[in-house]
Amino acid sequence: MTAHLSRRTLLGIAGAGAGAYLLSACGSDEPSTPDGPQTINWWHIQNTEPMLPVWAAIAKEYETAHTNVKVVIQPLENEAFKAKLTTATQAGSPPDLFQSWGGGVLKQQVDAGLVKDITADVQPWIGSLLPASVQPFTIDGKIYGVPFDVGMVGFWYNKDLFAKAGITATPTSWAELLTTVSTIKSKGIVPIALAGKEKWPGHFYWAYLAMRIGGLGALQQAAKDNNFDTPDFIAAGTRLKELVDLQPFQKGFLGAEYGSPDGQAATMGNGGAALELMGQWAPSVQASSSTSKKGLGDKLGYFAFPAVEGGKGSVAEAFGGGNGFVLGKNAPASTVDFLKTLLDVANQRKSAATGAVLPTVKDAADAIKDPNSKVVAASLASATGFQLFLDQAYPPAVGQQVNDSVAELIAGSKTPEQIVKDITKVAKSQ
């Protein structure tokens, strides 16, 4: 699954362990001579096909064109990367260029003085990227990283099962979604696949509902005030409970994983449910987890998370995340130029052509082949706002509590009013 930049891969560094030592790290910058011999130590987690050889080839090309620069690549499996980066940051010695998803973990690295402010360096070319993709890497108005991949969460649906249930149009409002779910269930079809065991897929529902009800401003204000005990967040839980009360999920969903042979992605890929709320990687993981290893193919469709009646949020506001790179505090002078090379149009097209990356450079969108990926890319390009996954946007402990609390709401053990108090308590303690 790491080959497809799955959500599990995206979240690898967002655990509490990853940030535990960051704030204690310190050190001074060591200036580099632009023309002297330089070595860029580059850590990434695309350690399998299809992106492993793509990155290697780009690095080799760069070395050929810049004889004074050597790029030393460490492709690492997700968990190994997490452990190794924790050790490096604890010692105050981050790699020169390393994988990041922005948000709360990046902010901790910024606060600890572990990463470089590259705002001025990237000004000549940062405008070629989708604005939404850069947001998670922008802390207090300064840019600390550059994304090479970005996507958003939305509803993936089985066209055949929708037709079997007599549904001819995808829902555009929450009320219509609830009606759609009820209709599907009445036909003896499982409406929604959910990996209840892993918790993060459930938080997508609550986060999107909070966005649609309160707008992006509500989520941003909560981060500033460390307070989720507000009418908008309570309403999000109440609306989610409306869905849960319809009992829309597959049998045994509370114990289901995401990518296992009987998990959420496989349930969708094998035609066992009509819907899942998931990120841009959904089609590839559905395929790899399915019995046929092909998934639904052209039977798979996509639509945006619907509006909530009376809500302040817009359906043009996107929720998601992506992959990027940041520079360690002691990175040599050539690292920014190498990063620029990774993000040039030709290399972004190469990345997009693998099917594993949704490019952040606007002009590389023409290399996207999959029809549904094109829809996601177009939605992102026209997004009026972007919210990073809450379990990455907020400090790790808060993000984990969001996941835990939403899981409790879905399981029926906590009320909408109780979970916002629990999340707020953790947020205030940070």
Side-chain angles (χ1 to χ4, degrees):
M1 266 181 58
T2 50
H4 300 294
L5 301 177
S6 73
R7 180 72 181 6
R8 290 197 293 182
T9 298
L10 294 177
L11 285 178
I13 196 62
Y21 305 107
L22 294 177
L23 297 180
S24 63
C26 60
S28 60
D29 287 341
E30 297 173 6
S32 301
T33 305
D35 299 323
Q38 298 173 51
T39 299
I40 300 172
N41 289 301
W42 179 23
W43 296 6
H44 68 70
I45 62 167
Q46 287 75 50
N47 63 317
T48 60
E49 295 275 355
M51 283 304 295
L52 179 65
V54 173
W55 287 148
I58 294 172
K60 186 59 66 179
E61 288 170 10
Y62 191 85
E63 287 178 335
T64 301
H66 303 80
T67 54
N68 66 315
V69 178
K70 178 147 184 74
V71 181
V72 178
I73 308 176
Q74 285 208 35
L76 294 159
E77 184 275 329
N78 182 39
E79 290 302 315
F81 170 77
K82 178 173 64 174
K84 195 173 180 70
L85 186 65
T86 298
T87 301
T89 52
Q90 181 182 11
S93 302
D96 301 317
L97 187 67
F98 63 95
Q99 189 100 12
S100 175
W101 301 276
V105 173
L106 178 58
K107 186 177 189 307
Q108 289 187 327
Q109 293 166 342
V110 170
D111 291 344
L114 289 165
V115 294
K116 279 191 173 181
D117 173 0
I118 57 172
T119 311
D121 299 305
V122 301
Q123 281 313 305
W125 53 275
I126 197 73
S128 67
L129 275 63
L130 294 168
S133 72
V134 183
Q135 285 186 26
F137 297 88
T138 306
I139 310 291
D140 297 329
K142 295 179 180 178
I143 299 171
Y144 292 91
V146 178
F148 65 85
D149 164 69
V150 67
M152 62 185 286
V153 173
F155 276 108
W156 299 89
Y157 72 102
N158 186 317
K159 295 177 183 178
D160 283 0
L161 294 182
F162 264 51
K164 187 177 177 182
I167 298 166
T168 57
T170 55
T172 58
S173 71
W174 184 250
E176 287 178 8
L177 179 70
L178 296 178
T179 300
T180 297
V181 166
S182 296
T183 301
I184 291 169
K185 189 172 182 181
S186 72
K187 302 297 183 182
I189 301 166
V190 174
I192 301 175
L194 182 66
K197 183 179 180 179
E198 294 194 19
K199 299 182 180 180
W200 56 263
H203 114 274
F204 291 167
Y205 289 88
W206 187 75
Y208 246 134
L209 283 165
M211 274 178 64
R212 295 293 187 254
I213 292 166
L216 280 176
L219 298 171
Q220 293 161 352
Q221 194 62 46
K224 289 178 185 174
D225 300 342
N226 293 321
N227 180 31
F228 294 80
D229 193 356
T230 66
D232 288 338
F233 284 103
I234 294 171
T238 302
R239 291 303 180 102
L240 177 52
K241 192 172 182 304
E242 292 173 353
L243 177 65
V244 172
D245 287 347
L246 296 177
Q247 298 183 338
F249 310 119
Q250 82 276 21
K251 186 177 180 181
F253 77 93
L254 287 174
E257 297 176 340
Y258 173 56
S260 60
D262 59 350
Q264 175 176 333
T267 300
M268 276 298 295
N270 291 327
L275 287 159
E276 74 165 336
L277 183 62
M278 192 47 61
Q280 71 275 14
W281 57 86
S284 59
V285 185
Q286 286 175 16
S288 64
S289 304
S290 67
T291 306
S292 68
K293 301 301 176 187
K294 295 179 181 177
L296 298 176
D298 59 8
K299 297 176 184 177
L300 185 67
Y302 174 90
F303 63 91
F305 195 94
V308 175
E309 299 81 356
K312 297 186 280 287
S314 161
V315 290
E317 292 173 341
F319 174 78
N323 297 263
F325 293 115
V326 302
L327 274 65
K329 63 187 178 71
N330 296 327
S334 58
T335 312
V336 173
D337 185 62
F338 177 60
L339 182 59
K340 178 185 177 184
T341 300
L342 291 175
L343 270 291
D344 71 24
V345 177
N347 286 328
Q348 274 270 278
R349 285 194 175 118
K350 289 177 189 174
S351 299
T354 66
V357 165
L358 273 184
T360 53
V361 174
K362 300 171 202 172
D363 290 346
D366 56 9
I368 300 170
K369 298 171 183 175
D370 178 69
N372 285 314
S373 294
K374 288 180 180 179
V375 173
V376 174
S379 299
L380 272 171
S382 60
T384 57
F386 185 82
Q387 172 64 47
L388 184 63
F389 305 117
L390 298 193
D391 52 4
Q392 289 183 303
Y394 301 142
V398 180
Q400 186 59 53
Q401 188 60 50
V402 168
N403 285 348
D404 291 345
S405 290
V406 175
E408 290 175 325
L409 177 68
I410 291 172
S413 60
K414 289 282 181 79
T415 66
E417 292 80 10
Q418 287 173 320
I419 69 165
V420 296
K421 286 180 168 58
D422 291 345
I423 298 167
T424 297
K425 184 177 179 181
V426 172
K428 297 271 189 198
S429 70
Q430 294 301 293

